[in-house]
Amino acid sequence: MLAQQRQAAILERVRTTGGVRVSELAGEFGVSDMTIRRDLDTLHERGLLAKVHGGATTTGPSSTDEPGFRAKSVRQLPEKAAIADRAAQLVRPGAAVALSAGTTTAELARRLLDVPELTVVTNSLPVAEIMHAGGRPDQTVVLTGGVRTPSDALVGPLAVGAVRSLHLDLLFLGVHGITERAGFTTPNLMEAETDRALVAAADRLVVLADHTKWGTVGISSIVGLTAAHVLVSDDRLPPPARRVLGEQVGELIMVKATGAGRATRTPTTEGTAP
């Protein structure tokens, strides 16, 4: 197992149980205590967990905490891969699509590199770089201007103004959190405004969110649950979330993430498409 994959698994364990011990992790992963301590040091430096004697605990983020793109990129790797695989099936050649900022939308961008005559609008610097470096000559990539956030999004009046003049077929939206009351949320007020402009510009909204986003609340709501035509998540989504989302979003698609690399998918659908 690669260090990045092991660290993602450690983060998931901390999120689930609230804390981990070095000795238990070393035995589980078949590595030395020193290797686990280095993993914990790395994750602690990125603000993803708190180190304690003999292990680590959750940091307990607030509604305004905004982890950087690099920090988020090590989380839920199989789930993000499976979600991106399924979302790519919704894109047709010649479409005009928008990809918001986020690590899952960046995974999706890698799967759109071979789609002919695609127009991609994004406020994400990583998404734009992925498309520019590996895309087809007949693709068009439009990067909005704006102020850069910790998650490598471009936001603010320049970004909003650029998006408002566009008419798009699809928006793939990454979110920080999902709850029944607050809907889809973000910890950045200006990013919420930019995301709302993207939603308004698109005919259909597809939200990409792994199971850990359920129950997390950012300070600013983007849109309510009923605004999503499709939500693609993974099959670790808890039963209460499945019930609420199945009733409120247009279509709930859940995929199965397996292994530590690129995931295989076995999609299931709940709810009724609009």
Side-chain angles (χ1 to χ4, degrees):
M1 179 181 288
L2 298 176
Q4 186 181 58
Q5 296 162 351
R6 188 174 57 248
Q7 290 164 16
I10 292 171
L11 275 178
E12 178 64 14
R13 179 68 59 81
V14 171
R15 180 187 290 272
T16 302
T17 65
V20 293
R21 291 183 178 276
V22 170
S23 57
E24 294 174 351
L25 292 174
E28 178 179 343
F29 293 111
V31 297
S32 68
D33 287 2
M34 183 60 68
T35 296
I36 294 299
R37 289 192 181 96
R38 284 197 294 266
D39 288 336
L40 297 182
D41 286 340
T42 298
L43 296 171
H44 175 73
E45 290 170 1
R46 295 176 181 173
L48 300 177
L49 52 71
K51 285 188 65 182
V52 297
H53 180 70
T57 63
T58 180
T59 58
S62 72
S63 64
T64 57
D65 284 342
E66 186 175 5
F69 183 91
R70 182 179 177 184
K72 291 187 291 184
S73 67
V74 302
R75 300 176 180 177
Q76 286 73 51
L77 299 179
E79 289 88 346
K80 290 174 181 177
I83 290 168
D85 283 344
R86 182 64 179 89
Q89 298 176 19
L90 303 176
V91 180
R92 298 290 177 262
V97 302
L99 274 64
S100 78
T103 52
T104 309
T105 52
E107 283 296 313
L108 173 59
R110 295 185 178 95
R111 289 151 176 80
L112 300 182
L113 296 176
D114 294 326
V115 180
E117 299 180 348
L118 192 66
T119 298
V120 175
V121 176
T122 186
N123 68 321
S124 165
L125 291 167
V127 167
E129 179 58 29
I130 289 166
M131 299 300 301
H132 174 75
R136 294 167 53 103
D138 59 359
Q139 292 179 338
T140 300
V141 180
V142 179
L143 177 64
T144 70
V147 178
R148 186 173 185 168
T149 73
S151 59
D152 286 346
L154 297 178
V155 301
L158 286 176
V160 171
V163 170
R164 281 179 175 167
S165 64
L166 303 175
H167 304 281
L168 306 166
D169 299 312
L170 278 172
L171 164 63
F172 292 96
L173 179 68
V175 298
H176 175 77
I178 309 172
T179 66
E180 183 174 11
R181 180 183 64 82
F184 303 108
T185 62
T186 174
N188 188 298
L189 293 170
M190 288 199 297
E191 187 163 2
E193 183 182 15
T194 305
D195 286 343
R196 284 192 289 270
L198 286 166
V199 171
D203 289 339
R204 288 176 61 81
L205 169 62
V206 180
V207 177
L208 309 181
D210 66 72
H211 69 279
T212 64
K213 304 301 176 66
W214 176 257
T216 298
V217 182
I219 192 173
S220 183
S221 293
I222 303 168
V223 290
L225 299 181
T226 57
H229 296 92
V230 179
L231 170 63
V232 186
S233 188
D234 63 88
D235 64 354
R236 296 181 65 187
L237 199 65
R242 299 185 188 199
R243 176 184 58 79
V244 171
L245 295 170
E247 292 173 353
Q248 297 204 38
V249 303
E251 182 180 8
L252 173 60
I253 300 175
M254 291 184 295
V255 294
K256 183 176 180 60
T258 60
R262 187 180 176 94
T264 58
R265 58 186 184 274
T266 55
T268 60
T269 303
E270 296 186 9
T272 305

